[in-house]
Amino acid sequence: MNEKQLVGEKAVEYIKDGMVVGLGTGSTVYYTIKKLGELVKGGLKIKGVPTSELTAALANEEGIPLVDLKEIEALDVAIDGADQVDSHLNLIKGGGGALLREKIIANAASIFIVVADSSKVVNQLGAFPLPVEVVQFGVDMTSRKVACLGCVPKLRVREGQPFITDNGNYILDCDFKRIESPAELEMKLNMIPGVVENGLFVNSASRVITVENNEVIESVK
């Protein structure tokens, strides 16, 4: 069993009958959803709220009942992956392009559990380019404003065309090298007109499940 599967399935232990569960996006939480599907087939009664169309499709394949966010008041727990996790449990997310919905759902959950293999754990955020979701209108101007914060923004492209999120926006992947103050940068980015949201998740994770020395470990905020 690989690290992603180990931590992805470990998070399922926090899911109880009757819960409303935020379902993240990515290669690690994939295993969480697969395991939840097995438990649902075995009688577990939950409702899932997906963070992306891709996750919704996977959850449907696994037989997990889904609800729209507007149908509920809050989530009991959300489980998602991360592109980087620092020692303070701050995160960079958005490599899969679902950062806006992921942040909305994480914020709505009573408990936000992050699953990450050991390669995602770092001392300081920044080596992974920070995804910033922006509206299509005026993207060049928005990119220049973002660059003024000390990065090199690059429009995300797939198959020769700009990548478009489930919300109809573009993503700038911003190379900061090192992010000294995640909370300050998060605030400054979101003050730029045209920026919808950014992939910094500061003081958001309740618990991080990862692997150290071939053993699953959990860090709590």
Side-chain angles (χ1 to χ4, degrees):
M1 188 181 293
N2 63 41
E3 287 189 4
K4 290 175 185 260
Q5 186 172 358
L6 275 172
V7 298
E9 292 187 356
K10 177 68 175 178
V12 173
E13 296 178 8
Y14 292 92
I15 308 302
K16 308 299 181 187
D17 219 41
M19 281 187 168
V20 179
V21 183
L23 303 174
T25 298
S27 58
T28 305
V29 79
Y30 165 86
Y31 292 103
T32 305
I33 296 170
K34 296 287 284 187
K35 188 65 176 180
L36 277 175
E38 291 178 17
L39 296 177
V40 166
K41 291 179 179 69
L44 179 70
K45 292 178 173 57
I46 61 169
K47 295 178 180 177
V49 182
T51 56
S52 67
E53 300 300 326
L54 193 64
T55 292
L58 177 60
N60 280 324
E61 287 177 13
E62 296 301 316
I64 300 172
L66 298 180
V67 291
D68 193 279
L69 202 56
K70 66 184 178 183
E71 300 174 45
I72 58 172
E73 293 185 4
L75 289 84
D76 296 292
V77 61
I79 302 173
D80 210 342
D83 298 300
Q84 283 194 324
V85 183
D86 74 9
S87 57
H88 301 288
L89 306 192
N90 295 317
L91 320 170
I92 286 182
K93 292 178 49 56
L99 66 98
L100 175 57
R101 297 189 187 188
E102 288 172 342
K103 191 171 279 193
I104 290 171
I105 287 174
N107 187 62
S110 298
I111 300 172
F112 177 35
I113 299 173
V114 176
V115 289
D117 64 74
S118 58
S119 70
K120 307 298 176 61
V121 180
V122 299
N123 291 324
Q124 187 169 38
L125 302 179
F128 187 92
L130 176 65
V132 177
E133 187 161 343
V134 299
V135 297
Q136 295 188 35
F137 178 79
V139 63
D140 291 337
M141 182 174 290
T142 304
S143 181
R144 290 194 293 272
K145 294 287 187 181
V146 170
C148 290
L149 296 180
C151 70
V152 178
K154 184 177 180 181
L155 182 66
R156 186 177 297 184
V157 174
R158 292 288 184 271
E159 298 179 354
Q161 298 296 322
F163 173 85
I164 298 178
T165 70
D166 288 342
N167 316 298
N169 299 316
Y170 288 159
I171 286 184
L172 300 174
D173 289 308
C174 303
D175 187 1
F176 281 94
K177 304 296 184 188
R178 292 169 61 88
I179 297 175
E180 302 290 347
S181 177
E184 182 181 354
L185 180 58
E186 181 182 32
M187 180 183 66
K188 287 181 176 179
L189 281 167
N190 285 352
M191 290 178 66
I192 296 173
V195 170
V196 179
E197 190 52 83
N198 70 84
L200 283 168
F201 284 57
V202 180
N203 296 321
S204 178
S206 309
R207 179 180 299 269
V208 172
I209 303 175
T210 188
V211 175
E212 185 177 288
N213 298 323
N214 298 315
E215 291 188 5
V216 174
I217 62 167
E218 301 186 37
S219 301
V220 182
K221 188 69 176 180

